[in-house]
Amino acid sequence: MEGAHSRSVSEVLTFFHSDANRGLNEQQVLENRTIYGRNELPREEGVSFWKLVLKQFDDLLVKILIIAAIISFLLAVVNGETGLTPFLEPTVILLILAANAAVGVITETNAEKALEELKAYQADVATVLRNGLLSIVPASDLVPGDIVEVAVGCQIPADMRLTEIKSSLLRVDQALLTGESCSVAKTSDVNPLAKAVYQDKTNILFSGTIVTVGRARAVVIGIGPNTAMGKIHNAMSQAVDEMTPLKRKLDEFGTFLSKVIAGICMLVWVVNIGHFHDPAHGGILRGAIHYFKIAVALAVAAIPEGLPAVVTTCLALGTKKMAKLNAIVRSLPSVETLGCTTVVCSDKTGTLTTNMMSVSKICVVQSGDLIRPLVNFNVTGTTYAPEGVIMDESMNQIDYPAHLHCLLHLAMCSSICNESSVQYNVEKAIYEKIGESTEVAIRVLAEKIGLPGFDSMPSSLTMLSRSERVSYCNHYWEQQFKKIATLEFSHERKMMSVLCVCNQQTLVFCKGAPEAIFQRCSSVLQNDDGKIVPFSTKIRAELEDQLCSYGQNETLRCLAMAFKSVPLGQQTLSAEDEHQLTFVAMVGMLDPPRQEVRSAIAKCRSAGIRVIVVTGDSKATSESLCRRIGVFDAFDDLSGRSYTGAEFDDLSPIQQALAIQKVSLFSRVEPSHKTMLVDSLRRQNEVVAMTGDGVNDAPALKRADIGIAMGSGTAVAKGASDMVLADDNFATIVAAVAEGRAIYNNTKQFIRYMVSSNIGEVVCIFMAAALGIPDTLIPVQLLWVNLVTDGLPATALGFNQQDQNVMLVKPRKMDEAIVNGWLFFRYIVIGAYVGLVTVSGFIWWFLFYESGPKLKWNELTTFDNCVEGNMPYSCNIFQDRHPSTISMSVLVVVEMFNALNNLSENQSLLAFPPWKNLWLIVAITVSMALHFLILYVKPLAVLFSVTPLTLTEWKVVFWLSLPVILLDELLKLISRHVKGGSIALRFRRHDFLPKSQTRQQ
């Protein structure tokens, strides 16, 4: 039923043909169940396992690798080859692809759990009135029109309209739906607002929320998918997982690389058509197959098979670093996504604030005789820990607060007139509250005030363990004052009172809304001398002015304390006893901002990241917090920068689009507003990080580019998120963004390394085919280099140190290619050199090496025509393993030097020496050790068709490889000093790689 909050109880009951005193009868229940269905969230059909598996292979590079593996396998079978070597290459390729697919399936399976976890917030049973009798039924059996009774601790089983409150007060904790920091009071009164948000629907009980105070009856108005929780479920199930920026750029790069590879392979095959009939092949068909194998080898060489594994490894390293920062990553790609975040939509409660209500101000009457009778104290400490001090108006610490009369009575009242508790959890090493946040705040205040009696009290308290200290002072007062009766808080009185006895004296302690306490006071306690004097008009006016200052200027939540003496022996307490009170003190409390948040927001600003605060709390409270933490400056005009959810809904679509560009605060929002905000920002090509902790946040977390849940949040929010903040701290997000940027820079470096190396392999094979010389490298050698010797240094590049200026540059644009034109030109230059020297080492052995055959050029290029006995040399020299081993060794060594080049994109090795990344030195050492292993261990040498090299051969390998460092130093010099010049602009204007101009939806 829509709009039930704006209709009277009788109208709602009439709509469902229900009776408030008898409920529905069995026939009506059956009819309504036929119409509305069962009170259950719909089951979502997940993607089948095999569809998930096939999805992992829906990538162009992967498809090319699969085709290459299959062709290699078929060619080996057709040629009748035996042994392990011919089948090694396709087997390894398929094993790598299978491993990557397994990781992808596991990741996507975990993502489906969020929808299942949402069902945990459905109640199991409900107390329902049917046929005039109360009975307990499964919550799934409820139908609209049912009359349900709820009490303290009950989980609301469906959306319901209050019909009757059976206690003096009804409060409900609906933070998981609205994000409000405290439980809210409910009433059965009509709310005439047509477009009320959840927070304004004070006569509606929402499914999944919990009753914290009171007892009531309500009529069911929505079940299953038609509840507020059901709408969240629908929004989550409709959210489509999209590619992260890195995945998108890698796919674009892969598509481009695939086209280049296909073109080169075809070109190599076509160029060699004239060689198909060479006698060495034994026929045109076999010649065509031979050069087709070369084309396949070229594809294997060009595709960086290890790239997915290295990217995954680098992101995994990032998750470990983030875990140390209290950021637990659930989705690996989100590590990098953080790096290009342009907008952070942050929840207020618990993220920007501590989510621990604490007293920050105390106002007492110093003396009625003074011109300014009031005095204010400041209280430090922003958590539930009994850590903090009382300070005077000049910010000087009060050494013994309990020696001041008003503060002493304030501590008594805070301890006795209180139903909450605080305890220290030894296992989690945290302070935990039980009860209302405001009551917990004044209980903690009593600990900060301490006890009177001896001068060593403040220091002696520190001698206790945390478990003993947490409520030591409160326990002391509870032992001194024996409670006799309690008068609970009610809306009409707006206060709570406790009757107690101490030392043959009976007292009433009261706490409540300041205006209610002021009305009932006839005297005040003076702080300077402890005398009780009349509550004069002057004092009342001063207190009301101070209340206005606390509430409006500082947006503090205020409570006032009072007491009175009653006749000894009184055993009952009534509202009549709450008059002729003596005013003690007024306290102002707030959910304080975290100390490190202000500097974290400043870092976001310098990094070009916009922060938008999104909260369910009131506009005034939220604006005040935003001024404290630096989202707004003290005198900023907030028009156009601060909206409530209702205000934003009233704007036209064009006005909303313009408002999204400037807004910094959304207050009084409901779940749909958060999702709308994420969608609107993404339509404007922003990369959005959204934080949240409640069930209400889950749809927005799932829709955002990166969803960040709080460690203390609900399982639903965590399940829908990409990352969880263990410490619930906004500053952790900023640290994670810096790490994400560093990871992206490192990703670019090892992509540069691997691609330039692979280009070298392509050039090597292409040159050999074009020149007509024997194969310099066979596929199994290329596969070993790509996966093992290249893979380790590439992974080690993920340990490159974070740039000190990483948070002083703007986020990269969504359409920025992962490799721009100038960078790709550098790839080609370095790759061409790698390929050239690899072939040069091969040719050197045949033509110039003293221990080699010393052939002539035309003898090398016509090796196919060699006939044994007709030449001055044996044709078997073309089967010698030395030249191929030299080529492979040159390729390995030159790539180790090239790894050193990639410590920094543009910084010289003189400025960024190798010992800046010791892991890279270790990786290069291990890679070379593995290369020596296959050269000097005979079974492996046979498997990879290599042989040990002499010292002379190693010298040639070294001197051919070393100049790659000098060449890259020259290119880095150009990048640093000709930045923005004609060379750079030329390649920026005509990027070799495709760019997405619009965001993929």
Side-chain angles (χ1 to χ4, degrees):
M1 179 183 183
E2 295 295 330
H5 67 280
S6 60
R7 303 187 187 187
S8 65
V9 172
S10 59
E11 287 179 293
V12 175
L13 292 172
T14 301
F15 182 87
F16 290 111
H17 307 292
S18 183
D19 187 324
N21 298 316
R22 294 190 57 79
L24 300 176
N25 57 43
E26 292 302 325
Q27 182 62 34
Q28 288 176 306
V29 170
L30 292 174
E31 290 175 358
N32 286 359
R33 186 166 296 140
T34 303
I35 298 171
Y36 300 106
R38 297 186 68 81
N39 183 29
E40 297 173 333
L41 293 178
R43 289 185 173 273
E44 294 296 322
E45 292 187 9
V47 180
S48 69
F49 174 77
W50 291 112
K51 283 185 178 179
L52 280 178
V53 172
L54 292 175
K55 182 181 176 182
Q56 310 310 314
F57 296 96
D58 188 18
D59 180 274
L60 194 53
L61 278 179
V62 171
K63 291 173 183 175
I64 291 176
L65 276 175
I66 292 173
I67 293 170
I70 293 172
I71 291 173
S72 296
F73 182 81
L74 292 176
L75 290 176
V77 172
V78 169
N79 288 340
E81 298 180 42
T82 58
L84 178 63
T85 303
F87 304 101
L88 180 64
E89 177 192 332
T91 302
V92 171
I93 291 175
L94 293 175
L95 285 174
I96 292 169
L97 296 178
N100 283 333
V103 172
V105 169
I106 292 169
T107 302
E108 295 200 29
T109 301
N110 288 339
E112 299 299 321
K113 292 181 180 179
L115 289 173
E116 290 302 315
E117 286 165 342
L118 189 62
K119 295 178 181 178
Y121 293 90
Q122 289 183 286
D124 295 324
V125 296
T127 302
V128 63
L129 179 68
R130 288 177 180 169
N131 294 317
L133 299 173
L134 283 172
S135 60
I136 297 176
V137 301
S140 58
D141 287 348
L142 290 180
V143 296
D146 266 330
I147 304 297
V148 175
E149 186 163 303
V150 295
V152 175
C154 283
Q155 192 170 37
I156 307 299
D159 280 7
M160 305 188 293
R161 168 68 162 87
L162 276 169
T163 58
E164 178 185 6
I165 296 178
K166 291 181 168 288
S167 58
S168 60
L169 180 67
L170 181 70
R171 296 186 71 87
V172 176
D173 181 356
Q174 56 185 36
L176 62 86
L177 183 66
T178 63
E180 291 166 292
S181 54
C182 296
S183 63
V184 295
K186 293 291 183 177
T187 175
S188 59
D189 297 338
V190 174
N191 183 339
L193 290 175
K195 294 184 178 181
V197 294
Y198 290 148
Q199 294 91 324
D200 295 330
K201 296 179 180 179
T202 54
N203 53 18
I204 303 293
L205 303 180
F206 296 105
S207 176
T209 60
I210 297 174
V211 178
T212 58
V213 176
R215 181 166 158 262
R217 283 188 181 181
V219 57
V220 176
I221 58 172
I223 60 172
N226 295 318
T227 62
M229 202 67 70
K231 291 174 183 176
I232 290 173
H233 181 278
N234 293 338
M236 289 176 66
S237 61
Q238 291 168 9
V240 179
D241 291 331
E242 298 185 19
M243 288 192 293
T244 66
L246 177 62
K247 180 67 167 67
R248 190 177 300 119
K249 294 305 173 188
L250 286 176
D251 283 358
E252 290 175 6
F253 181 72
T255 301
F256 166 75
L257 197 60
S258 302
K259 292 175 182 176
V260 172
I261 291 166
I264 293 175
C265 291
M266 184 62 67
L267 183 61
V268 168
W269 195 71
V270 171
V271 164
N272 285 284
I273 287 178
H275 296 284
F276 287 1
H277 61 275
D278 289 347
H281 302 312
I284 293 178
L285 179 59
R286 287 188 173 274
I289 292 173
H290 172 77
Y291 286 103
F292 187 68
K293 286 179 69 177
I294 291 177
V296 171
L298 192 63
V300 173
I303 296 173
E305 293 92 343
L307 183 58
V310 174
V311 171
T312 301
T313 303
C314 186
L315 295 179
L317 291 174
T319 64
K320 287 190 174 181
K321 291 180 184 177
M322 288 188 179
K324 293 179 181 178
L325 300 172
N326 290 314
I328 300 164
V329 177
R330 298 184 66 254
S331 169
L332 281 183
S334 64
V335 175
E336 181 277 333
T337 307
L338 267 173
C340 56
T341 298
T342 59
V343 178
V344 176
C345 297
S346 177
D347 192 29
K348 178 183 79 71
T349 305
T351 309
L352 300 174
T353 67
T354 62
N355 195 22
M356 297 181 188
M357 193 71 71
S358 64
V359 174
S360 63
K361 295 280 188 179
I362 302 172
C363 176
V364 301
V365 177
Q366 184 68 6
S367 173
D369 297 332
L370 299 176
I371 297 175
R372 185 173 178 270
L374 306 185
V375 64
N376 288 280
F377 296 98
N378 298 288
V379 186
T380 66
T382 59
T383 68
Y384 293 143
E387 300 163 0
V389 297
I390 313 298
M391 310 179 83
D392 62 21
E393 291 177 322
S394 301
M395 301 306 289
N396 297 314
Q397 182 176 338
I398 306 296
D399 293 329
Y400 307 109
H403 291 179
L404 300 178
H405 298 284
C406 287
L407 295 187
L408 177 63
H409 283 75
L410 172 60
M412 295 178 189
C413 186
S414 298
S415 300
I416 304 305
C417 195
N418 202 315
E419 295 184 339
S420 70
S421 64
V422 185
Q423 60 189 18
Y424 181 73
N425 187 317
V426 178
E427 292 181 1
K428 297 181 180 178
I430 59 173
Y431 293 90
E432 297 176 331
K433 73 176 179 87
I434 300 173
E436 289 292 324
S437 298
T438 52
E439 291 197 334
V440 173
I442 59 174
R443 187 172 283 278
V444 173
L445 174 63
E447 296 296 329
K448 294 176 183 178
I449 292 173
L451 299 174
F454 51 96
D455 293 345
S456 62
M457 175 52 68
S459 59
S460 63
L461 287 174
T462 62
M463 306 291 289
L464 302 172
S465 69
R466 290 186 175 181
S467 298
E468 293 171 323
R469 173 67 186 94
V470 65
S471 292
Y472 186 86
C473 299
N474 281 275
H475 290 162
Y476 173 83
W477 293 122
E478 287 167 355
Q479 290 169 3
Q480 297 298 312
F481 292 89
K482 180 184 177 182
K483 285 187 183 181
I484 298 174
T486 300
L487 197 58
E488 296 289 349
F489 181 94
S490 72
H491 269 302
E492 294 74 21
R493 294 169 25 255
K494 295 183 179 179
M495 59 189 297
M496 169 191 176
S497 300
V498 172
L499 179 67
C500 55
V501 174
C502 176
N503 296 330
Q504 300 300 310
Q505 186 179 11
T506 305
L507 298 173
V508 175
F509 285 112
C510 306
K511 78 168 190 295
E515 56 272 19
I517 296 291
F518 295 164
Q519 289 176 3
R520 291 169 172 81
C521 285
S522 60
S523 58
V524 298
L525 178 68
Q526 291 188 150
N527 193 51
D528 59 354
D529 57 10
K531 291 182 179 179
I532 295 176
V533 298
F535 193 36
S536 65
T537 305
K538 177 184 177 182
I539 292 176
R540 181 187 294 273
E542 290 281 347
L543 282 170
E544 288 174 348
D545 287 345
Q546 191 63 65
L547 173 61
C548 182
S549 176
Y550 278 2
Q552 294 183 10
N553 300 339
E554 301 183 58
T555 59
L556 300 178
R557 183 169 295 173
C558 297
L559 277 179
M561 315 290 180
F563 76 101
K564 68 179 288 189
S565 294
V566 295
L568 188 64
Q570 182 173 325
Q571 297 294 312
T572 60
L573 192 61
S574 67
E576 296 301 320
D577 295 310
E578 296 177 328
H579 292 278
Q580 304 299 312
L581 302 176
T582 298
F583 175 81
V584 173
M586 178 173 66
V587 299
M589 61 188 78
L590 77 163
D591 181 5
R594 294 178 180 270
Q595 293 180 350
E596 59 277 10
V597 162
R598 190 177 185 89
S599 61
I601 288 177
K603 284 183 182 177
C604 283
R605 233 173 233 167
S606 65
I609 300 171
R610 190 165 140 225
V611 177
I612 301 177
V613 179
V614 187
T615 177
D617 276 346
S618 69
K619 188 173 185 177
T621 300
S622 304
E623 286 178 351
S624 175
L625 173 79
C626 287
R627 291 188 192 278
R628 285 192 182 96
I629 62 177
V631 173
F632 300 136
D633 291 332
F635 302 104
D636 274 357
D637 179 8
L638 302 189
S639 58
R641 297 186 62 193
S642 172
Y643 292 92
T644 64
E647 288 171 349
F648 190 81
D649 287 340
D650 290 337
L651 300 178
S652 66
I654 294 176
Q655 289 174 321
Q656 287 182 348
L658 293 173
I660 288 291
Q661 297 175 5
K662 292 177 59 181
V663 70
S664 297
L665 170 63
F666 268 110
S667 54
R668 213 69 177 159
V669 298
E670 57 184 33
S672 60
H673 290 122
K674 295 186 177 184
T675 307
M676 172 278 302
L677 177 61
V678 170
D679 291 342
S680 298
L681 287 167
R682 296 188 70 195
R683 280 195 295 271
Q684 295 182 9
N685 289 330
E686 303 283 4
V687 180
V688 184
M690 167 66 79
T691 74
D693 56 359
V695 172
N696 61 315
D697 300 317
L701 291 175
K702 201 170 176 68
R703 293 283 271 274
D705 292 289
I706 175 163
I708 305 172
M710 302 298 108
S712 61
T714 61
V716 178
K718 293 175 186 175
S721 67
D722 302 297
M723 192 173 83
V724 178
L725 299 185
D727 59 358
D728 294 8
N729 197 334
F730 181 84
T732 302
I733 301 174
V734 179
V737 168
E739 190 60 45
R741 290 186 173 191
I743 287 169
Y744 179 76
N745 292 338
N746 290 345
T747 302
K748 284 180 68 176
Q749 288 306 100
F750 68 70
I751 288 175
R752 172 191 170 197
Y753 167 65
M754 296 191 79
V755 172
S756 60
S757 299
N758 282 47
I759 289 174
E761 295 167 13
V762 171
V763 170
C764 169
I765 294 174
F766 184 79
M767 284 182 65
L771 294 173
I773 63 176
D775 297 341
T776 53
L777 296 167
I778 61 175
V780 70
Q781 293 172 339
L782 290 170
L783 202 61
W784 173 262
V785 172
N786 284 352
L787 293 178
V788 182
T789 55
D790 279 3
L792 291 174
T795 303
L797 289 172
F799 288 95
N800 282 350
Q801 290 184 8
Q802 188 181 116
D803 188 347
Q804 291 181 349
N805 298 326
V806 73
M807 289 298 283
L808 297 178
V809 295
K810 291 184 178 180
R812 67 182 187 276
K813 295 180 181 178
M814 284 294 295
D815 62 352
E816 177 185 316
I818 197 168
V819 181
N820 63 21
W822 168 243
L823 198 57
F824 192 68
F825 174 76
R826 288 170 60 179
Y827 287 3
I828 293 174
V829 172
I830 297 297
Y833 179 81
V834 171
L836 180 64
V837 295
T838 303
V839 174
S840 298
F842 187 88
I843 294 173
W844 170 83
W845 189 88
F846 278 107
L847 271 58
F848 305 107
Y849 184 33
E850 287 296 331
S851 300
K854 288 195 172 182
L855 300 179
K856 294 179 182 178
W857 176 253
N858 67 316
E859 290 175 334
L860 180 61
T861 56
T862 57
F863 77 98
D864 284 343
N865 298 323
C866 181
V867 178
E868 193 67 43
N870 293 345
M871 301 292 180
Y873 52 85
S874 171
C875 293
N876 289 333
I877 62 168
F878 297 113
Q879 306 301 321
D880 197 299
R881 296 179 186 175
H882 277 87
S884 178
T885 304
I886 290 174
S887 287
M888 185 180 180
S889 297
V890 169
L891 182 61
V892 169
V893 175
V894 78
E895 290 182 4
M896 295 304 104
F897 284 130
N898 193 29
L900 296 176
N901 288 333
N902 288 278
L903 282 164
S904 174
E905 184 175 328
N906 292 315
Q907 291 299 313
S908 168
L909 276 173
L910 297 175
F912 208 103
W915 51 86
K916 290 276 190 178
N917 185 345
L918 293 177
W919 286 106
L920 181 59
I921 296 175
V922 172
I924 290 173
T925 303
V926 173
S927 292
M928 288 306 301
L930 290 170
H931 183 63
F932 280 112
L933 188 70
I934 67 169
L935 260 62
Y936 294 99
V937 176
K938 192 169 183 180
L940 294 175
V942 173
L943 181 63
F944 289 98
S945 298
V946 292
T947 191
L949 299 181
T950 66
L951 181 61
T952 302
E953 290 168 331
W954 274 116
K955 286 181 180 178
V956 171
V957 168
F958 178 80
W959 289 114
L960 284 173
S961 304
L962 183 61
V964 74
I965 289 181
L966 301 177
L967 179 60
D968 199 61
E969 286 291 305
L970 176 62
L971 293 171
K972 287 179 177 180
L973 183 67
I974 295 172
S975 295
R976 292 195 303 270
H977 295 287
V978 193
K979 188 176 180 181
S982 59
I983 294 177
L985 282 175
R986 179 181 174 187
F987 288 101
R988 284 178 186 147
R989 198 176 296 122
H990 305 290
D991 277 1
F992 286 101
L993 301 183
K995 292 184 179 181
S996 296
Q997 298 303 318
T998 57
R999 185 184 196 96
Q1000 294 180 14
Q1001 297 294 331

